[in-house]
């Protein structure tokens, strides 16, 4: 069974990678398994300076999902390079580095630094974090701002750039086309849906930030729909994510048009989820009649073509 | 390598108002050496609950670990329905517990409130084993909620308070700090934040406190459970409760 | 415990009503309980002519939710009035009649007819059905179209008009303000999120329509967030809905700012859910310290005011 | 008034490849008189599964109703794990079954495929009670999947087909229609759509077929389960499978 996928900047030996923010910088999960088993590693968002993020509570559980409002806490791009990327040097797994910021200048600065680091294989432009007041969010909802940011980052990045799309929009295809037109090498989708949960005791939101980002199984149908629609409208590859908890979900994302599949929230319930999915994928693909990951990608809409072409 | 384990339920019984004692056994019990650490427990079937529940280690004895939990929501409700012979998916031991290596021949006071009481029992046992004198001050909402009183008495002097005065002293654990013996050298405390604040502001001797926060990963990767350091010059400026804590030296983090 | 709520056109004896499309025209549920127990009844969408709707399968289950693509099947406004509203004459419960269409003219025509029926107390303008190809959907995503439709319908309707908002937008507050400005008497929110599920066997979408509307517990955090944001931005009342399955959910919607709460998908799992919620609500409100439904509404953001005013 | 009931599980056992027979008892068993109706069963805990699962009534005897189901997904998996003494939340009987009132002294053929076989057993029993002669033609995937063969033989002549020929005749039930006795007066059929299409196109005598469709409410309120009528002049143009069906006169609806 051929699990390999070749994407701009990322030669994956299998299509499974952890999603940004749900895996830190890999250190903690390296206590559970060998990170070399992964197709790639997405590291947590970096900003130019360190950030403390939002007040706590920062997470709340919902039916089949969770809300988070971490607020991009990170030690800043310099320390990430010195401490975290340094730690990751012992592994060979390709690294996708998530880039965040409040202003176009900040994104550009972080992208320039991270993109130049020898251990970073591609950048993931996080224009969709719903949890920071200033910046970030408007880049994710306005196609022309997103395009101009993509262009600016592309012009300084030494590695391919994936743009991570927000589902909090009326027209995801328009966003995808805008960043493709601006030179994005790939897309990551989806980030979290904006949600809220109230504490019936106090009457107030549970999260100190009020709103948070909804992730987990509840959002999977929205993610699958968006990957399905966008993958037919653009020609750059998609890293699909949103609610993956089992190998059937991985295949569903591939069939919907994703070329690789990221796992976020499920790492919290089961820290061994990524290697387990990698182990289980070949058997499911075989059972469903697919000989390679490549053959699964986009099958939900390429079906007829392929049957007709008789291969 | 850290692992998760399907631990076997040996016992799961009601010991006080809505409070259960669960005994588990599994491969990693012997690594649960440091009091104050917690188990990170999967609740519910399938993906109905995406987050694990942190529960303190209340005791470890003969390859058996005990947790004591109060039913406050769906997860603890689910736990309370587990039957003997079933398994529970556990990650642990997690976090950094009470630093008691080398603590000997001291007089130590344990101050706990509600579901902050359980970790103090394992801590007290260890401290007594290390030849310390232990005084426990334990607060509960009311008479119905009191648990492990006799167990603590076996370790040393034990004072109970209840909010409604239905048992022991009426009032808060902090009200009793004044009456404690002068030779107390250190305190260890676990309970709700206002209690920890009161305790650490009242005592002048050194102490350690154990914090609670809503957790995502429970392993240090998601930054859900951070708190700020009191020292603004601290190089990181924050601590992760699930990894650097839940136990911190009193005064290290902002309450 | 005072459960009454007084809304434009609707004097509710309790804040619970079934959501449109999940209750037919009440007939089937009248076999389970007396419909007079309900605060109100929302009937299924009416179009000017009868519609067959989409091909089957029309529903699929997801984690903590479901997708539907019924496609507005209904017997047409005339037969609804002759057969269904006729049947409902034996009950006293106020009726909120859901109005759909492909063109502004169709909405206006249906609204004129239904609004003139003596048994209809208010209209619910469904500008958010994600499951019909022509029409409907664009009214729900374009604020100026939504406003002009609201104005047109208001000008012919003899009863108050509630506009039902779609969550498939980047800015729900803007939509709400647009229809409020155009004269809407109230809002219903939220309709379903657009989603998809694939059948791993065939590789294709399970729903014949491809995409469908996601409802049920999975969408509740999104609904609560939207009600919370919109209720602070407009001064017309909101009928809140999305994923209600228990009495705690009802209270959460009230606290978030809804004045009444509609129950959709949960009717399928438990046909007795509405009377059960009505029965259980007083005890929960009492436990949380509320003496009337009125006192719960919007408490999540009115908290401080109220504490300060000392009442 | 129609009600739902927490029915008691009296038995739940494996009877063929991935196929279980569950016996339930409860307050409404006595109203389950018409073969072809179904029970609408809640699966899973809490809100993990928002839709109920329709399962045909396979038999009713001495206040006990039987359903026979195949594990195809999470809901049927969950059902298969129910233990004796537990309860299952059931709405039913739902739908319109086979119209057999007044059917006497006829020779009737029952044609079933896979999970379409169960309702035919209750139907067959009723028909025999009403002095009809019954011939059953039952199709399964393979030998492992065959169930209730003896039970059907007690009702009358019974022919079994398997797709892979591992038991009985190799092939499809429709292949056997030609060999049936000429005096057959009516047929009743339940199974996958292609089979029903084949059956209703092959027979020239009148018959009734039972359809499957994914359901929302299961009570007629949501329009999830509709099918078109064959007669374009029909005043409604559609039928609801959960309410008007699942049984229809052959030819009434488009397959
Ligand atoms: C380090 C640590 C040790 C703990 N030890 C114990 C113990 O020994 N005994 C005990 O009874 N309780 C203990 N708690 C609290 C316990 O984790 C919560 O009561 C429990 O998670 C509630 O789960 P639930 O599903 O019943 O409640 P719900 O309110 O339904 O839970 C919803 C979410 O909120 C989180 N949550 C709710 N309350 C708390 C809380 N107080 N602290 C942290 N997360 C919370 C849950 O983990 C879950 O993610 C501890 C908490 C921490 C952080
Ligand atoms: C009127 C009627 C009578 C039936 N009688 C029987 C019976 O006696 N024995 C039996 O084994 N099966 C029967 N079925 C099929 C049975 O309902 C499905 O196999 C079952 O719902 C699958 O549930 P699941 O959770 O295991 O599968 P999943 O695929 O996980 O179910 C997901 C969703 O799809 C629906 N679904 C999946 N397959 C079917 C199907 N074939 N028909 C309708 N809905 C489906 C489920 O109800 C659920 O809503 C009947 C179906 C209908 C409509
Ligand atoms: C706690 C948490 C933190 C996250 N942090 C980031 C982040 O820093 N950058 C980012 O692009 N996405 C972040 N995300 C979004 C995830 O990468 C992912 O897009 C989303 O959670 C959907 O996937 P899932 O349902 O598998 O979790 C975060 C998600 C969670 C739950
Ligand atoms: C099967 C089905 C049919 C629906 N039909 C309609 C409709 O005709 N008109 C409408 O405004 N909303 C319709 N809705 C949306 C619901 O009224 C409601 O807004 C949505 O389902 C969210 O609530 P819930 O999570 O409680 O189901 C439908 C929903 C479902 C599940
Ligand atoms: S819970 Fe994730 S870092 Fe502590
Ligand atoms: S399933 Fe709802 S009408 Fe048949």
């Amino acid at each position: 069974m051929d699990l390999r996928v070749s994407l701009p900047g990322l030669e994956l030996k299998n299509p499974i990678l952890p999603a940004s923010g749900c895996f830190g910088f890999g250190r903690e999960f390296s206590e559970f398994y060998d990170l070399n088993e992964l197709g790639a590693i997405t590291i947590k968002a970096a900003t130019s300076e360190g950030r403390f993020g939002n007040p706590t509570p920062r997470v709340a559980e919902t039916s089949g999902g969770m809300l988070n409002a971490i607020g991009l806490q990170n030690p800043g791009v310099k320390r990430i390079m010195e401490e975290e990327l340094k730690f990751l040097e012992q592994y060979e797994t390709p690294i996708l580095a998530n880039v965040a910021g409040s202003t176009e200048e900040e994104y550009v600065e972080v992208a320039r630094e991270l993109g130049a680091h020898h251990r970073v294989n591609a950048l993931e432009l996080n224009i969709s974090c719903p949890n920071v007041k200033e910046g970030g969010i408007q880049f994710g909802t306005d196609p022309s701002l997103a395009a101009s940011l993509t262009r600016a980052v592309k012009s300084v990045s030494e590695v391919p750039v994936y743009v991570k799309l927000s589902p909090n929009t009326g027209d995801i295809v328009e966003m995808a086309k805008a960043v493709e037109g601006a030179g994005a090498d790939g897309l990551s989708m989806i980030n979290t849906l904006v949600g809220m949960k109230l504490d019936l005791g106090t009457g107030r939101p549970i999260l100190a930030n009020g709103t948070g980002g909804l992730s987990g199984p509840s959002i999977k149908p929205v993610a699958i729909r968006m990957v399905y629609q966008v993958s037919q409208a653009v020609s750059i590859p998609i890293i699909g994510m949103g609610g993956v908890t089992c190998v059937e979900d991985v295949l569903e994302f591939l069939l919907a048009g994703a070329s690789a599949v990221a796992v976020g929230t499920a790492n919290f319930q089961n820290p061994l989820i990524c290697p387990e999915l990698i182990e289980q994928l070949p058997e499911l693909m075989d059972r469903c009649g697919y000989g390679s990951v490549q053959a699964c990608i986009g099958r939900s809409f390429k079906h007829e073509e392929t049957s007709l072409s008789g291969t | 390598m850290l692992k998760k384990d399907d631990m076997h339920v040996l016992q799961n019984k009601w010991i006080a108002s809505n409070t259960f004692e669960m005994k588990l056994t599994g491969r990693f019990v012997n690594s649960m050496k440091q009091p104050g650490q917690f188990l990170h427990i999967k609740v519910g079937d399938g993906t109905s609950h995406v987050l694990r529940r942190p529960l303190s280690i209340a005791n470890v004895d003969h390859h058996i670990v005990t947790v004591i939990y109060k039913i406050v929501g769906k997860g603890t409700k689910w736990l309370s329905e587990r039957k003997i012979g079933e398994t529970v998916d556990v990650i642990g031991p997690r976090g950094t517990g009470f630093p008691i290596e080398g603590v000997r021949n001291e007089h130590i006071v344990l101050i706990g409130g509600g579901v902050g009481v359980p970790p103090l029992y394992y801590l007290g046992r260890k401290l007594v084993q290390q030849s310390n004198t232990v005084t426990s001050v334990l607060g509960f909402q009311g008479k119905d909620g009191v648990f492990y009183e006799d167990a603590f008495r076996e370790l040393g002097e034990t004072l109970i308070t209840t909010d409604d005065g239905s048992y022991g002293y009426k009032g808060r654990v902090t009200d009793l700090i004044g009456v404690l013996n002068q030779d107390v050298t250190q305190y260890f405390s676990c309970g709700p934040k206002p209690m920890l604040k009161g305790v650490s502001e009242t005592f002048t001797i050194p102490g350690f406190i154990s914090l609670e926060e809503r957790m995502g990963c429970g392993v240090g990767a998601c930054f859900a459970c951070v708190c700020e350091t009191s020292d603004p010059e601290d190089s990181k400026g924050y601590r992760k409760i699930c990894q650097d804590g839940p136990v911190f030296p009193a005064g290290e983090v902002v309450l």
Side-chain angles (χ1 to χ4, degrees), chain A, chain B:
Chain A
M1 185 63 63
D2 187 356
L3 296 185
R4 283 171 305 168
V5 190
S6 180
L7 299 182
L10 305 168
E11 291 297 328
L12 311 180
K13 60 172 181 267
N14 64 62
I16 304 294
L17 62 164
S20 180
C22 302
F23 203 72
F25 301 94
R27 219 184 263 272
E28 293 77 19
F29 287 86
S30 73
E31 298 179 47
F32 288 91
Y33 57 88
D34 180 354
L35 303 185
N36 278 331
E37 293 182 36
L38 296 167
I41 296 173
T42 322
I43 57 174
K44 175 141 190 68
T47 52
S48 61
E49 302 299 322
R51 283 203 195 208
F52 177 73
N54 291 321
T56 55
R58 292 178 173 185
V59 292
E61 200 181 59
T62 62
S63 264
M66 66 174 282
L67 294 166
N68 89 80
I70 305 296
L72 295 182
Q73 176 159 17
N74 79 96
V77 65
K78 295 242 155 35
R79 282 181 66 169
I80 289 177
M81 294 197 298
E82 284 160 21
E83 296 166 18
E84 308 299 344
L85 287 175
K86 177 111 199 147
F87 167 81
L88 287 169
E89 282 191 0
Q90 60 186 298
Y91 300 99
E92 287 152 18
T93 313
I95 292 177
L96 178 62
N98 193 271
V99 174
S102 305
T103 59
E104 186 167 306
E105 293 70 46
E106 186 177 0
Y107 277 102
V108 166
E109 184 198 327
V110 176
R112 182 186 286 119
E113 297 197 55
L114 277 176
H117 193 282
H118 65 282
R119 198 57 193 81
V120 171
N121 304 80
L123 299 180
E124 179 176 58
L125 213 57
N126 179 0
I127 58 165
S128 47
C129 179
N131 300 323
V132 283
K133 292 267 141 48
E134 2 66 62
I137 186 85
Q138 83 276 22
F139 293 109
T141 48
D142 179 332
S144 64
L145 277 180
S148 106
L149 182 66
T150 306
R151 224 172 276 117
V153 165
K154 270 299 285 181
S155 73
V156 301
S157 173
E158 293 180 21
V159 293
V161 175
Y162 292 72
V163 179
K164 183 152 179 184
L165 301 183
S166 164
N168 302 290
T169 166
D171 192 343
I172 189 80
V173 169
E174 187 191 6
M175 279 300 298
K177 283 184 167 164
V179 301
E180 180 183 39
D185 301 285
L187 300 171
S188 284
M189 52 194 292
I190 58 174
N191 210 315
T192 53
L193 282 161
V194 184
M196 178 181 278
K197 184 175 178 177
L198 301 179
D199 180 327
L200 299 186
T202 64
R204 312 272 196 118
I206 289 184
L207 300 181
N209 186 53
T211 60
L214 182 65
S215 62
S218 2
I219 70 168
K220 200 190 69 177
V222 175
I224 292 287
R225 184 265 297 184
M226 289 184 164
V227 169
Y228 178 87
Q229 290 177 335
V230 168
S231 61
Q232 294 175 73
V234 301
S235 52
I236 50 178
I238 296 174
I239 301 176
M241 70 197 81
V244 171
T245 63
C246 61
V247 73
E248 285 78 12
D249 296 341
V250 172
L251 182 57
E252 192 176 358
F253 270 98
L254 294 173
L255 298 175
S259 296
V261 180
V263 182
T265 305
N267 289 291
F268 303 165
Q269 199 189 50
N270 178 7
L272 297 165
I273 183 77
C274 288
E276 285 179 11
L277 294 176
I278 293 164
E279 196 197 313
Q280 294 163 7
L281 189 57
E283 202 247 297
L284 177 67
M285 283 169 51
D286 189 46
R287 188 145 42 92
C288 295
Y290 299 103
S292 70
V293 164
Q294 207 54 50
C296 302
I297 300 169
R299 259 307 172 84
S300 55
F301 51 87
K302 289 186 192 148
H303 217 99
E304 270 144 342
E305 286 171 46
T306 336
S307 324
L308 285 174
S309 73
T311 48
Chain B
M1 289 236 161
L2 280 169
K3 281 275 159 64
K4 65 185 185 72
D5 191 16
D6 287 327
M7 297 189 76
H8 288 268
V9 178
L10 300 178
Q11 183 195 290
N12 192 15
K13 73 170 191 218
W14 173 288
I15 56 167
S17 167
N18 275 316
T19 309
F20 281 71
E21 180 192 54
M22 183 183 252
K23 292 189 189 278
L24 298 164
T25 190
R27 286 178 290 154
F28 305 112
V29 176
N30 291 341
S31 63
M32 300 174 186
K33 291 204 161 62
Q34 197 191 22
Q37 290 185 297
F38 64 93
L39 304 184
H40 210 36
I41 305 185
K42 178 169 184 278
V43 296
D45 301 314
T47 54
S48 53
H49 294 283
V50 302
L51 297 179
R52 288 174 177 260
R53 303 302 194 254
L55 291 180
S56 302
I57 295 173
N59 198 12
V60 180
D61 202 9
H62 288 89
H63 304 281
I64 295 169
V65 58
T66 304
V67 291
I68 296 171
Y69 59 93
K70 189 160 176 177
I71 300 186
V72 299
K74 288 186 184 166
T76 44
K77 179 87 191 350
W78 182 89
L79 262 190
S80 73
E81 290 159 0
R82 290 318 94 201
K83 303 219 169 60
I84 293 172
E86 290 183 14
T87 59
V88 175
D89 177 345
V90 172
I91 298 178
R94 299 304 317 181
T96 307
F98 294 98
I100 57 163
E101 230 189 321
V103 177
R104 299 187 169 269
N105 305 316
E106 296 195 29
H107 183 178
I108 286 169
V109 58
L110 309 179
I111 303 177
V115 297
V117 170
L120 299 183
Y121 179 66
Y122 188 35
L123 173 64
R125 274 195 58 217
K126 287 265 179 187
L127 287 170
V128 169
Q129 279 165 18
Q130 293 176 198
S131 313
N132 298 285
T133 304
V134 166
T135 300
S136 308
V137 185
L138 312 175
F140 299 93
Q141 274 178 349
K143 189 177 175 189
D144 291 352
V146 179
F147 58 86
Y148 265 41
E149 183 186 357
D150 293 343
F152 275 95
R153 284 204 195 288
E154 279 179 30
L155 302 178
E157 188 188 3
T158 300
L159 308 175
I160 307 279
T161 72
T162 53
D163 295 351
D164 60 5
S166 53
Y167 191 76
Y169 300 83
K170 179 182 164 80
R172 314 240 152 203
V173 290
T174 38
D175 304 339
L176 293 185
I177 293 180
V179 312
L180 289 173
N181 199 316
Q182 296 298 315
D183 70 358
V184 168
T185 48
Q186 261 199 85
Y187 67 91
F188 293 120
S189 185
C190 183
K193 227 178 233 183
M195 186 198 103
L196 297 178
K197 214 167 139 74
V199 167
S200 50
E201 282 167 7
T202 313
F203 272 117
T204 49
I205 53 171
F208 287 83
I209 57 172
S210 179
L211 297 185
E212 276 187 14
E213 187 50 81
R214 285 176 189 255
M215 291 185 178
C217 65
V219 303
C222 78
F223 294 91
C225 66
V226 300
C227 52
E228 274 179 275
T229 51
S230 308
D231 178 3
E233 304 293 294
D234 182 86
S235 82
K236 283 200 301 185
Y238 67 91
R239 296 288 182 272
K240 294 180 198 161
I241 290 179
C242 70
Q243 195 177 40
D244 307 315
V247 176
F248 297 99
E252 180 170 287
V253 298
V254 179
L255 289 179

